[in-house]
Every structure is written in structure tokens, then in C-alpha cells.
Amino acid sequence: GHIVRNWKVRWFVLLQDKLLYYKIEGGKKEPSPKGRILLDGCTITCPCLEYENRPLLIKLRTKTNTDYFLECCSREERDSWALDITGAIHAGHPVQVQELHRMKNSFKLLDNISLHDIVERMYDSSTGIKLTRNLDQGNRYKETFTGSALVDWLISNSFAVSRFEAVTLASMLMDENFIRPVGVRSTEATRSSDPSEKFLDDSTALYMFAENGKKNASSKEEVQFNISELSGTIVKQGFLVKQGHKRKNWKVRRFVLRADPAFLHYYDPTKEENKPVGGFSLRGCLVSALEDNGVPAGVKGNVQGNLFKIITKNDIHYYIQASSKTERVQWIEAIKPLT
């Protein structure tokens, strides 16, 4: 409502240039519309996350800056209405309609955005993704989010323009070990042979930040790595210092470089179990030494020198310190042939 900010059921009818809404009396809509929203010059926001407890909102802003918040009954219904309303808004511009359909069925990460940037935004306490407690088959998980909540967040923050794009992007975040599945349903989905089905756009599929996994899951689940990526021949291993993705602090990690398939995994030496806490494929990566005169952009904290950087094919930046220039050269020379 515009005057009293309550929520009321209305019957909506979409026309070519306007959206009519009718009052419901006795289960039937009244003959005359209660109001109308002129679509010329409108902008649409979907999903709209301005109301934390109402994830199924569409926001329409008219060219006179009047805001309408419309709540649907399901995500499927919300997205269907949003697509049809968007089509009506751009009906007089066929080129824009064609572009909308093209974008809906394609995906390309924006050139000026990296997965690392997205994760940084996700962690933001005010605008990031909301973390909640969830229960799955008797196991309690702290600081988790659902698959559909992440898809909504990616779209509302303009990292994706459709649910197809957002699911693809979320799968990339999972592949690069920024987020991980928790609970039976989402974990089992990762075994799917279809990449588009590994991440679930679902309100019952649970995920969390990979760095928080061991601290926050009360079950015995650990970060899962594909058996094949840990089966390669060990080419080189040793201790290096790595900058964290979230807090930008530096921690000693035992790195293991494998070939066939080419992966670089890192382990926490303070943990007794021999399981990696992170890792990534080296295919398509770039590796280079960083000069010791000055601190490069993206590097924070206590830097002793002998830095090198690895950039993955998805533009994730890893900053690593070796103990000497010789060791840095040895690691770079070992990694380069595997990229």
C-alpha cells in the first residue's frame, strides 16, 4: 500500500503499456480496476531484496519515481511476471527485447568483475548475503545460505541478469572453492555430470563460505575434493605463505603441486588430518613473480618479499610468499608447464 504500508491481495492484469490491479471481494475481482501502473519509462528490479523477510518481491519504479512492491507466491511465478513485464516495458524497442532474450540464455563474467570481488561483496556485513542457521537431516549448520538466496543476491547485485546466469556463476564460485555445499541434498548434487545441475537454485539446498566450513558445521562433513584431482603425480611440495581471501592475513600453508591432472592444493600444517583446505586447477592459469620494491595492489599486511601471483582462468588472484628468490623461481618454473 502507498499510504498504509500493509500488504494486500490484488488481481493483476498485464496489458501492453500498463499493469492493472483489482480489488478482490468474495473471492472475485471487482469490475473496475483499483489502480494502474503505467509501464512507459518504468524500471524493474527482480529480485528485490529490500525486505529481508520477503524474498519474492518485484519492484517497479515509474518515470515519476513512484515505487510499487509486488509480492508473488513462488520464485517461478515472480520470474515469469518479471520477464513478461520487462518485455512490455521494452515492447516498443524490439532490439532491446532481442538483447534481453540473448542475455537470458548466455553467460559471460563482466570484464571488470572477478570471482574474488564477488566473494568480497558477499562477505559485506550490510549489503552481503544474509547468513542464517539451518537444520538438515538432524545436523545444524551455522552461517549458511540457501541456493535460491544466493541466486537472488547475485541478480539483485547485477552480477547476473537471469537465474541461468546466476546458477552458472554460483557453480564457478563452488568450483573455485569459495563456497561449498552442506547437507545431503546440495552435496549429492555436486556429483552430477551436468555442470548446470551441480549448484541448486533451491530454498532447501544449503551452502556456506568454504573458509567457514570446518568451524561452523556441527556434523562431521569436511570440504570435499574430487578424488581425481588428488590422484595426480606430485611434482613439488613445500611450505609457502599465502594471503587469505577474506581477512587478507598471511598464513603458512603446505603446498602440493600435482600433474595429470594439474592442480595446486594447500594444507593447514596445524591440522593432523591430511586433507587440503583449498586448491584449484592450473589449466589456463597465469603465474608471475612480483617485484619487491613496493607492495602491489591487492596485497595487504606483513609482506616480507619474494612474492609471486597466480591468476586462475576465472580471474581469481592468489598471492604467495616464498622464503627466498631461489625458492620463488623454482615454484614458478614448476607451475608454468602445467598451466
Side-chain angles (χ1 to χ4, degrees):
H2 286 295
I3 300 172
V4 180
R5 295 290 181 176
N6 54 359
W7 297 85
K8 293 183 179 179
V9 176
R10 294 289 183 254
W11 180 270
F12 280 82
V13 176
L14 176 62
L15 303 180
Q16 186 173 359
D17 60 345
K18 64 178 73 73
L19 190 60
L20 306 179
Y21 53 95
Y22 295 79
K23 191 175 179 180
I24 301 292
E25 286 291 346
K28 296 181 180 180
K29 72 181 180 74
E30 292 188 337
S32 300
K34 175 79 173 174
R36 67 193 67 215
I37 305 170
L38 298 179
L39 297 178
D40 179 43
C42 261
T43 58
I44 182 170
T45 303
C46 178
C48 171
L49 304 183
E50 293 188 26
Y51 291 84
E52 185 177 338
N53 62 337
R54 293 182 181 274
L56 303 179
L57 288 184
I58 296 170
K59 177 182 175 180
L60 286 176
R61 173 167 288 179
T62 68
K63 65 181 180 181
T64 59
N65 290 326
T66 302
D67 289 340
Y68 292 87
F69 293 92
L70 316 177
E71 185 173 35
C72 301
C73 297
S74 68
R75 281 182 167 82
E76 292 77 17
E77 185 181 73
R78 178 196 65 189
D79 296 341
S80 176
W81 270 100
L83 187 63
D84 290 338
I85 293 171
T86 303
I89 291 172
H90 297 294
H93 308 279
V95 174
Q96 286 182 287
V97 175
Q98 289 176 7
E99 180 67 9
L100 283 167
H101 285 286
R102 185 193 67 76
M103 294 174 69
K104 183 177 183 292
N105 296 297
S106 64
F107 177 78
K108 184 180 184 298
L109 189 62
L110 297 176
D111 292 335
N112 61 335
I113 295 292
S114 69
L115 294 182
H116 181 76
D117 295 329
I118 294 172
V119 174
E120 287 290 308
R121 288 274 297 277
M122 288 174 66
Y123 271 114
D124 190 281
S125 58
S126 58
T127 61
I129 192 162
K130 303 300 180 186
L131 303 179
T132 58
R133 294 171 180 259
N134 284 285
L135 182 67
D136 182 89
Q137 297 200 1
N139 293 320
R140 292 186 180 277
Y141 299 95
K142 299 178 182 177
E143 298 187 2
T144 58
F145 46 87
T146 66
S148 55
L150 177 54
V151 169
D152 285 350
W153 185 87
L154 289 169
I155 296 172
S156 69
N157 284 273
S158 302
F159 291 118
V161 299
S162 68
R163 302 195 81 77
F164 170 81
E165 274 198 21
V167 167
T168 304
L169 187 51
S171 298
M172 292 166 64
L173 291 170
M174 193 161 60
D175 288 343
E176 289 293 335
N177 200 37
F178 282 112
I179 65 173
R180 75 176 187 92
V182 292
V184 175
R185 189 153 189 268
S186 52
T187 302
E188 286 183 348
T190 60
R191 303 187 181 100
S192 170
S193 58
D194 185 347
S196 65
E197 296 178 358
K198 289 185 177 182
F199 179 88
L200 300 177
D201 178 8
D202 193 282
S203 59
T204 62
L206 300 181
Y207 298 88
M208 64 166 48
F209 291 114
E211 286 189 0
N212 295 345
K214 291 185 179 180
K215 293 183 290 185
N216 293 325
S218 59
S219 71
K220 295 182 179 180
E221 273 191 81
E222 298 292 343
V223 177
Q224 297 295 316
F225 289 91
N226 192 311
I227 294 175
S228 64
E229 69 183 69
L230 297 172
S231 64
T233 303
I234 294 178
V235 176
K236 184 176 177 60
Q237 58 181 313
F239 291 95
L240 297 165
V241 183
K242 172 186 168 293
Q243 180 178 262
H245 285 297
K246 179 184 176 184
R247 296 184 178 87
K248 306 298 184 184
N249 53 354
W250 293 88
K251 292 184 179 179
V252 175
R253 293 290 183 252
R254 180 171 66 86
F255 280 79
V256 177
L257 178 64
R258 293 181 173 88
D260 300 320
F263 274 84
L264 184 62
H265 293 97
Y266 46 94
Y267 299 72
D268 186 345
T270 66
K271 305 293 183 182
E272 292 184 3
E273 67 269 16
N274 190 34
K275 292 183 179 180
V277 294
F280 51 92
S281 170
L282 290 172
R283 295 301 180 197
C285 285
L286 297 174
V287 57
S288 61
L290 298 176
E291 298 299 329
D292 292 337
N293 53 344
V295 179
V299 175
K300 298 182 180 179
N302 185 22
V303 180
Q304 303 297 325
N306 306 313
L307 273 173
F308 65 99
K309 176 170 69 172
I310 301 174
I311 306 175
T312 70
K313 65 180 180 180
N314 292 323
D315 197 31
I316 299 168
H317 294 224
Y318 290 86
Y319 294 98
I320 302 169
Q321 295 186 60
S323 60
S324 67
K325 285 183 170 62
T326 301
E327 185 182 48
R328 176 173 66 179
V329 170
Q330 291 173 348
W331 273 99
I332 291 174
E333 290 180 347
I335 292 170
K336 273 188 175 178
L338 302 177
T339 60

